[in-house]
């Protein structure tokens, strides 16, 4: 299914989550990179050396969750925009996710947008709680979204707003 | 007549790397590129590149040429200059702009002319609005012109998927991506990016027809069965004004064919490819190839191949052989490492066919 | 058709206008345009017609390789409009596919 549609299925992404204890103990990175490709920027991006690819550049990145503090620095470094950070303890009933964003408009902090799943379908409202667009992110913004706890590992994008060119 | 030790034809990642490697070994280098801006494919790529950090992965394609150009002060660069002929006496003909013709006599040549797009046959494929993926990129990313309102993308390889994403970034609607094969050819991380933007990627589908009087007004797509035949009744008409073809690349071999380099048909490498040895020398002693011209691959490999060919040509021209040898060995090792994984399997198979096949049967020149 | 007004990665500043004519119509392009990109930005996609069946022809490769975009510019036939820079005052005409007065 992933190979024929580009949409990761539950069994695919569940395998990328840390164990339940780690999930409850603070924000963690989720690297949705499922295929052996010659690529390794994520490895060099993490200041805490939590991501390893190693000698063979085709290896799938491996996360040592004990080293990951959920800072989100790696998100904008991945050319595949395949890295997310999930915080299940954000506030009661809600979690926070960090997603990469390279479209216009850039959502504004405080606005409520539609959170969409891996298939682009709307799932739930998501409040924009953070917008990072530092120079070293090189035009890949990182958006922080507050979403209902049930959706922290389902929402992976937001609905494109704004005018389309050429209309 | 312009004389030089080494002529590099093409200023994409492969050509830039070849020129810089040879220049660093003290060789006099002339680099000719037909574009106004150096960088080849890179100048249209707005996305962050895949590959290895050593080869600028993570940097946007548009920003890589500047990084590659940093050490180019020793290279004599001629842009807006097309090489149009290559002859047995070692003379190449060139034209700058539309009408300034001249000859070049180099001692060695590296061809790094890249690849050209394949075409697809279907009724209506000659209508305005049926564009190559490269043309859509050129129009939108270089000239800032909207190619159309709604696009149907043909091909779910890296190019089709990446150009679809670039279309979305430019605020243009992508109706669907159709792909005849059962699986997506692009890196899945790219495909997932598109999927979560709501663009359907329809594998086992093809375009049946583009319709319109003066330009594309709609396109008919349909599902394919196991034998790649259209399943009757599955036709669907999509309202689009652009059909973008991203159905593969094949090496640009016109000049190499003119001079009579041996070549072989190897589908894994994009079609007809020049025969070359482990140091990227072709069947003609003074001609080397690098990058997509030597077999369609990607930018990291193109840069490494460029360095390798540049160093090998320099060694032949009398540069310090230990220094050149070091570069050659390290490039060969990094090519092996880039091609080690499953996506490199196709390339490995292609190269094995090429290297194993240096026999009379592929000597087209006889 | 139109131009991209804003883009998350690229900057397209407002560039100076270049005036030209197409089949006698006065049109505007921008500095940095090729003839074909300026025509496209003005919604003109049909650049010529095929010789025998008079099918419309637009550009295809945009890099000067396929000959699909040949037009007559300032009286000169067979100019590859996808790579030829637009210049103030250019007179651009559609031409039969071969550009000449060939009789078949
Ligand atoms: C949409 C798209 C996305 C891509 N994404 C990635 C990616 O993420 N990561 C990655 O590693 N690779 C990527 N690639 C592939 C990568 O861009 C190419 O493999 C790489 O550019 C090949 O380099 P090259 O130097 O061989 O050829 P090119 O970059 O094609 O350069 C060839 C140059 O030669 C010039 N030339 C040709 N003929 C002549 C002549 N007769 N005289 C003078 N000059 C001539 C051309 O003008 C051009 O500048 C992508 C490609 C595309 C199309
Ligand atoms: S979120 Fe921060 S700590 Fe965790 S892997 Fe990414 S960069 Fe490293
Ligand atoms: S940088 Fe992104 S795409 Fe590349 S290996 Fe790491 S996670 Fe995968
Ligand atoms: S569009 Fe191909 S030569 Fe101009």
């Amino acid at each position: 299914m992933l190979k024929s549609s580009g949409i990761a299925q539950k069994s695919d992404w569940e395998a990328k989550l840390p164990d339940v204890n780690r999930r409850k103990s603070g924000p963690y990175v989720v690297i949705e990179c499922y295929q052996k490709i010659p690529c390794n920027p994520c490895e060099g991006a993490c200041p805490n050396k939590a991501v390893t690819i190693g000698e063979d550049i085709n290896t799938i990145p491996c996360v040592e969750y004990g080293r990951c503090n959920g800072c989100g620095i790696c998100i904008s470094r991945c050319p595949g925009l395949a890295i997310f950070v999930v915080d299940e303890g954000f506030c009661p009933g809600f979690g926070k996710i960090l997603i990469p964003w390279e479209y216009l408009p850039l959502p504004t902090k405080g606005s409520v947008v539609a959170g969409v799943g891996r298939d682009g379908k709307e799932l739930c409202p998501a409040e924009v709680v953070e917008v990072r667009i530092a120079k070293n992110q090189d035009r890949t913004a990182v958006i922080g979204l507050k979403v209902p706890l049930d959706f922290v590992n389902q929402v992976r994008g937001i609905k494109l707003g704004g005018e389309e060119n050429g209309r | 007549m312009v004389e030089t030790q080494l002529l590099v034809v093409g200023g994409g990642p492969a050509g830039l790397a070849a020129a810089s490697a040879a220049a660093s070994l003290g060789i006099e280098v002339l680099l000719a590129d037909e574009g106004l801006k150096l960088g080849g494919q890179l100048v249209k790529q707005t996305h962050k590149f895949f590959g290895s950090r050593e080869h600028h992965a993570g940097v946007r394609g548009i920003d890589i040429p500047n990084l590659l150009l940093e050490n180019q002060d020793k290279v004599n660069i001629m842009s807006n200059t097309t090489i149009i002929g290559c002859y047995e006496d070692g003379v190449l003909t060139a034209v700058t702009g539309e009408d300034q013709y001249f000859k070049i006599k180099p001692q060695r040549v590296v061809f790094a002319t890249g690849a050209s797009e394949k075409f697809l046959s279907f009724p209506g494929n000659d209508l305005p609005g049926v564009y190559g993926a490269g043309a859509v990129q050129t129009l939108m990313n270089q000239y800032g012109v909207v190619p159309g309102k709604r696009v149907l993308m043909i091909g779910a390889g890296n190019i089709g998927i990446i150009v679809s994403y670039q279309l979305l970034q430019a605020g243009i609607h992508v109706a669907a991506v159709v792909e005849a094969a059962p699986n997506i050819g692009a890196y899945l991380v790219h495909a997932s990016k598109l999927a979560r933007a709501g663009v359907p990627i329809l594998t086992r589908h093809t375009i049946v027809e583009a319709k319109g009087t003066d330009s594309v007004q709609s396109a008919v797509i349909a599902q394919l069965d196991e034998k790649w035949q259209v399943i009757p009744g599955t036709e669907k008409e999509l309202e689009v004004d652009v059909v973008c073809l991203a159905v593969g690349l094949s090496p640009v071999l016109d000049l190499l064919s003119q001079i009579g380099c041996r070549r072989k048909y190897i589908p894994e490498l994009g079609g007809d490819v020049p025969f070359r040895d482990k140091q990227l020398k072709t069947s003609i002693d003074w001609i080397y190839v690098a990058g997509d011209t030597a077999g369609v691959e990607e930018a990291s490999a193109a840069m490494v191949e460029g360095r390798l060919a540049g160093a090998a040509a320099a060694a032949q021209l009398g540069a310090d052989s230990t220094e050149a040898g070091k570069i050659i060995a390290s490039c060969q090792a990094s090519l092996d490492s880039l091609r080690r994984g499953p996506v490199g399997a196709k390339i490995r198979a292609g190269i094995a066919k090429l290297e194993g096949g240096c026999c009379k049967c592929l000597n087209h020149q006889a | 058709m139109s131009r991209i007004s804003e883009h998350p990665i690229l900057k397209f500043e407002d560039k100076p206008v270049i005036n030209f004519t197409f089949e006698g119509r006065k049109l505007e392009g921008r500095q940095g345009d090729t003839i074909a990109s300026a025509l496209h930005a003005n919604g003109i996609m049909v650049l010529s017609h095929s010789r025998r069946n008079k099918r419309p022809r637009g550009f295809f490769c945009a890099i000067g390789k396929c000959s699909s975009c040949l037009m007559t510019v300032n009286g000169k036939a067979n100019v590859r409009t996808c790579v030829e820079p637009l210049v103030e005052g250019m007179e651009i005409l559609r031409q039969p596919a071969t550009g000449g007065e060939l009789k078949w």
Side-chain angles (χ1 to χ4, degrees):
Chain A
M1 193 49 187
L2 169 61
K3 278 189 183 156
S4 63
S5 67
I7 305 165
Q9 304 298 300
K10 194 161 187 229
S11 55
D12 297 317
W13 55 260
E14 264 185 353
K16 295 288 177 183
L17 303 180
D19 64 42
V20 186
N21 289 335
R22 176 63 189 83
R23 285 175 58 178
K24 288 191 181 134
S25 71
Y28 56 88
V29 73
V30 181
I31 301 192
E32 302 204 14
C33 182
Y34 303 99
Q35 188 185 27
K36 291 186 168 185
I37 54 174
C39 184
N40 67 6
C42 52
E43 182 181 42
C46 177
N48 301 321
K49 302 220 172 342
V51 186
T52 312
I53 288 198
E55 185 71 7
D56 180 355
I57 186 174
N58 285 286
T59 310
I60 291 172
C62 171
V63 183
E64 208 184 311
Y65 286 99
R67 287 174 170 270
C68 171
N69 61 8
C71 68
I73 289 176
C74 52
I75 296 175
S76 68
R77 305 298 192 280
C78 164
L81 305 191
I83 306 184
F84 307 85
V85 165
V86 173
D87 181 359
E88 300 190 20
F90 185 59
C91 65
F94 290 89
K96 177 182 166 186
I97 56 176
L98 295 176
I99 65 163
W101 183 251
E102 288 188 335
Y103 300 104
L104 290 177
L106 195 63
T108 45
K109 199 175 152 182
S111 62
V112 177
V113 296
V116 304
R118 293 173 181 82
D119 56 0
K121 297 216 170 78
E122 276 183 46
L123 290 174
C124 61
E127 185 190 333
V128 179
V129 291
E130 190 182 351
V131 177
R132 297 186 200 168
I133 181 81
K135 193 138 197 243
N136 62 7
Q137 290 170 228
D138 189 14
R139 294 161 278 182
T140 306
V142 171
I143 312 288
L145 301 169
K146 178 180 154 186
V147 294
L149 213 42
D150 288 348
F151 289 107
V152 284
N153 278 310
Q154 319 262 353
V155 171
R156 285 297 176 264
I158 57 179
K159 195 107 202 165
L160 288 181
E163 280 291 294
E164 281 175 11
N165 277 309
R167 239 182 211 150
Chain B
M1 182 101 71
V2 177
E3 291 190 11
T4 182
Q5 280 188 291
L6 177 67
L7 169 68
V8 176
V9 187
L16 290 173
S20 126
S24 75
L25 290 164
I27 299 297
E28 177 199 17
V29 185
L30 174 66
L31 183 145
D33 188 278
E34 64 186 353
L36 294 172
K37 243 194 196 161
L38 291 181
Q41 285 297 328
L42 301 175
V43 303
K44 301 183 231 171
Q45 308 311 338
T46 49
H47 63 288
K48 292 181 176 171
F49 262 49
F50 283 89
S52 119
R53 295 193 300 277
E54 302 156 58
H55 306 115
H56 312 298
V59 178
R60 297 190 186 278
I62 37 173
D63 298 326
I64 298 176
N66 286 337
L67 301 173
L68 294 175
L69 275 165
E70 258 169 19
N71 296 316
Q72 305 274 324
D73 47 341
K74 288 189 227 126
V75 177
N76 182 1
I77 292 173
M78 286 187 165
S79 49
N80 196 14
T81 299
T82 308
I83 303 298
I84 50 175
C86 180
Y87 301 92
E88 275 133 41
D89 55 1
V91 174
L92 289 96
T93 47
V95 54
T96 300
E98 284 285 305
D99 39 26
Q100 238 178 294
Y101 291 88
F102 62 101
K103 293 181 193 170
I104 305 172
K105 172 97 201 199
Q107 291 164 29
R108 296 287 180 278
V109 182
V110 175
F111 279 103
T113 47
S116 63
E117 294 181 89
K118 291 181 184 166
F119 200 52
L120 195 67
S121 70
F122 54 88
N125 69 356
D126 64 339
L127 281 173
V130 177
Y131 300 141
V136 164
Q137 284 193 303
T138 305
L139 205 57
M140 121 182 121
N141 295 346
Q142 275 182 281
Y143 301 112
V145 172
V146 176
K149 295 185 183 73
R150 293 171 61 85
V151 178
L152 171 66
M153 180 66 65
I154 314 296
N158 269 326
I159 296 181
I161 296 288
I162 290 172
V163 175
S164 298
Y165 181 64
Q166 295 179 355
L167 282 159
L168 296 181
Q169 288 182 305
I172 297 156
H173 187 86
V174 179
V177 179
V178 300
E179 164 65 56
N183 285 322
I184 294 167
Y187 293 165
L188 295 175
V189 279
H190 269 321
S192 299
K193 212 153 77 171
L194 211 57
R196 64 176 182 266
V199 177
I201 302 174
L202 306 173
T203 42
R204 278 219 185 286
H205 275 73
T206 192
I207 178 164
V208 178
E209 182 180 3
K211 292 183 172 176
T213 40
D214 259 354
S215 63
V216 175
Q217 280 152 349
S218 69
V220 180
I221 61 169
Q223 212 177 322
L224 296 174
D225 64 17
E226 312 279 294
K227 294 187 188 115
W228 307 76
Q229 299 302 310
V230 168
I231 303 175
T234 60
E235 292 87 355
K236 235 189 282 173
E237 191 162 341
L238 303 178
E239 200 190 307
V240 292
D241 58 353
V242 171
V243 173
C244 182
L245 300 181
V247 291
L249 298 173
S250 48
V252 170
L253 291 191
D254 39 12
L255 296 166
L256 292 164
S257 307
Q258 180 187 15
I259 183 79
C261 281
R262 265 193 253 156
R263 28 182 237 181
K264 189 174 184 182
Y265 181 73
I266 300 188
E268 290 88 341
L269 299 177
D272 256 337
V273 289
F275 168 76
R276 72 289 209 306
D277 67 12
K278 285 199 173 6
Q279 298 196 0
L280 298 174
K281 188 162 79 178
T282 65
S283 60
I284 292 172
D285 194 48
W286 49 278
I287 298 181
Y288 290 76
V289 284
D292 282 354
T293 312
V296 175
E297 213 173 330
E298 31 106 68
S300 292
M303 286 174 219
V304 182
E305 284 194 341
R307 251 173 89 67
L308 172 56
Q316 243 197 1
L317 287 165
D320 184 332
S321 61
T322 11
E323 279 309 304
K326 268 191 224 157
I327 298 183
I328 293 171
S330 86
C331 288
Q332 285 169 336
S334 76
L335 284 175
D336 283 344
S337 128
L338 283 171
R339 292 168 181 158
R340 202 185 293 163
V343 292
K346 212 167 97 178
I347 304 290
R348 291 198 305 271
I351 291 173
K353 274 194 199 173
L354 192 60
E355 287 176 349
C358 176
C359 61
K360 282 202 198 92
C361 67
L362 56 101
N363 189 342
H364 292 296
Q365 284 316 106
Chain C
M1 224 46 59
S2 58
R3 291 180 188 270
I4 295 170
S5 41
E6 40 170 23
H7 195 283
I9 312 297
L10 299 167
K11 288 240 170 341
F12 298 109
E13 325 90 74
D14 265 337
K15 295 201 184 120
V17 167
I18 296 183
N19 299 291
F20 68 102
T21 66
F22 164 71
E23 305 269 285
R25 263 168 73 193
K26 283 194 179 129
L27 296 176
E28 283 183 2
R30 292 289 152 78
Q31 197 168 24
D33 265 337
T34 58
I35 298 170
S37 72
L39 288 173
H40 209 287
N42 281 285
I44 294 157
M45 294 165 80
V46 180
L47 307 181
S48 66
H49 287 89
S50 70
R51 198 172 60 213
R52 203 165 301 149
N53 297 326
K54 307 284 176 271
R55 299 266 302 167
R57 287 283 173 268
F59 74 87
F60 177 72
C61 73
I63 50 167
K65 299 267 184 191
C66 76
S67 301
S68 190
C69 65
L70 303 183
M71 299 181 85
T72 297
V73 178
N74 295 340
K76 187 172 157 195
N78 294 330
V79 173
R80 293 175 303 166
T81 57
C82 70
V83 287
E84 186 67 23
L86 183 72
V87 173
E88 180 73 31
M90 266 183 173
E91 292 173 7
I92 296 155
L93 296 174
R94 287 189 179 127
Q95 65 179 34
T98 46
E101 302 295 310
L102 293 179
K103 299 248 156 42
W104 294 82

